[in-house]
């Protein structure tokens, strides 16, 4: 007798929420967010499109579940509780960026989803816990979480857009160089090597460092 969770020969695997999300992420990696439709997902799973609505009433519900799944790969910050809070917070931000970069258009999927799933809540609770243990009051800890998360998502969104191979108008450093050279922009000319650099890790770490240094200053003021 076959296991009820195992498909019989010639039949598609039983539809379930987890498998649907994993298949959606596979399609995302292959074709990008713009090509991910409920119909295409249903075709990939061998079911009628209407069957997906049993678990996801809208495509936005699906994207929220995908965002939640992406954060399952974010590990806890290194170091013991009570250690250097800024390093632990930076680890969390870096892990979030890595999780989003692991999937094509990952930041686009994540942006604006506001998941309340266990992985998202665990990430937020861990970050706020790091900040509260460091002495930040509840309001500052909550706003610091939002600032760091929004910066991370926004940076990764721009990073993936710049590196998207199939974009209609991908970021081209040469276009910026030509535009600057055609006018009188001495300050842009001086900083073009950095402005056109694709070292996105350096850009990310610089911006994150500014945020954390600002939090250090706020903590001293308090």
């Amino acid at each position: 007798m076959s296991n009820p969770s195992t498909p019989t020969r010639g039949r598609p695997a039983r539809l379930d929420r987890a498998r649907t999300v994993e298949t959606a992420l596979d399609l995302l990696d292959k074709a990008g967010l713009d090509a991910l439709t409920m119909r295409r997902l249903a075709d990939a799973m061998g079911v009628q499109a209407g069957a997906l609505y049993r678990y996801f009433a809208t495509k936005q519900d699906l994207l929220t579940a995908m965002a939640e799944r992406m954060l399952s790969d974010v590990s806890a910050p290194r170091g013991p509780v009570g250690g250097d809070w800024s390093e632990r917070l930076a680890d969390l931000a870096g892990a979030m960026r890595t999780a989003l970069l692991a999937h094509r258009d990952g930041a686009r999927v994540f942006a604006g989803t506001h998941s309340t799933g266990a992985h998202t809540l665990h990430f937020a609770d861990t970050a706020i816990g790091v900040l509260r243990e460091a002495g930040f009051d509840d309001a500052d800890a909550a706003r610091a979480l939002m600032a760091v998360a929004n910066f991370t998502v926004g940076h990764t969104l721009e990073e993936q857009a710049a590196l998207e191979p199939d974009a209609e108008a991908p970021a081209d450093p040469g276009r910026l160089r030509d535009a600057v050279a055609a006018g009188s922009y001495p300050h842009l000319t001086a900083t073009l090597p950095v402005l056109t650099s694709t070292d996105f890790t350096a850009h990310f770490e610089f911006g994150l460092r500014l945020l954390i240094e600002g939090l250090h200053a706020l903590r001293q003021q308090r």
Side-chain angles (χ1 to χ4, degrees):
M1 181 178 295
S2 63
N3 187 307
S5 64
T6 302
T8 57
R9 182 173 298 177
R11 295 182 181 179
R14 186 175 65 183
L15 183 67
D16 61 57
R17 185 181 178 89
R19 176 173 169 257
T20 303
V21 172
E22 292 297 335
T23 303
L25 287 170
D26 287 342
L27 286 176
L28 178 73
D29 291 338
K30 293 174 182 176
L33 180 57
D34 293 334
L36 176 62
T37 65
M38 298 297 273
R39 182 175 297 279
R40 188 168 184 174
L41 176 59
D43 289 344
M45 301 189 70
V47 300
Q48 295 295 316
L52 300 179
Y53 293 100
R54 175 182 177 184
Y55 298 104
F56 307 104
T58 66
K59 183 178 178 180
Q60 188 61 37
D61 290 339
L62 173 64
L63 296 180
T64 299
M66 292 166 66
E68 165 68 8
R69 172 61 183 83
M70 284 190 282
L71 281 197
S72 68
D73 295 329
V74 176
S75 59
R78 296 187 298 273
V81 174
D84 188 321
W85 65 269
S86 59
E87 290 184 5
R88 299 177 72 215
L89 186 62
D91 284 345
L92 278 170
M96 182 183 197
R97 172 176 171 251
T98 298
L100 299 182
L101 287 174
H103 295 281
R104 181 175 176 179
D105 291 332
R108 283 183 64 197
V109 170
F110 191 89
T113 53
H114 305 293
S115 170
T116 55
H119 298 305
T120 303
L121 295 181
H122 177 70
F123 173 85
D125 188 71
T126 301
I128 288 179
V130 167
L131 291 157
R132 293 181 74 224
E133 290 162 10
F136 291 92
D137 65 30
D138 292 349
D140 287 345
R143 292 189 177 108
L145 164 67
M146 289 188 286
V148 170
N150 289 342
F151 165 73
T152 301
V153 174
H155 169 89
T156 311
L157 188 67
E158 293 294 331
E159 178 176 358
Q160 290 186 310
L163 300 177
E164 173 56 56
D166 297 328
E168 293 182 2
D172 180 3
R175 293 177 61 193
L176 178 58
R177 293 190 190 98
D178 291 344
V180 170
S184 178
Y185 307 104
H187 305 300
L188 289 177
T189 299
T191 57
L192 267 178
V194 175
L195 293 174
T196 58
S197 169
T198 56
D199 187 351
F200 291 102
T201 296
H203 300 331
F204 175 75
E205 291 177 349
F206 180 85
L208 183 60
R209 186 167 67 250
L210 289 182
L211 275 173
I212 290 177
E213 287 178 357
L215 289 172
H216 272 293
L218 177 63
R219 183 167 175 258
Q220 292 175 353
Q221 293 173 5
R222 294 289 194 261

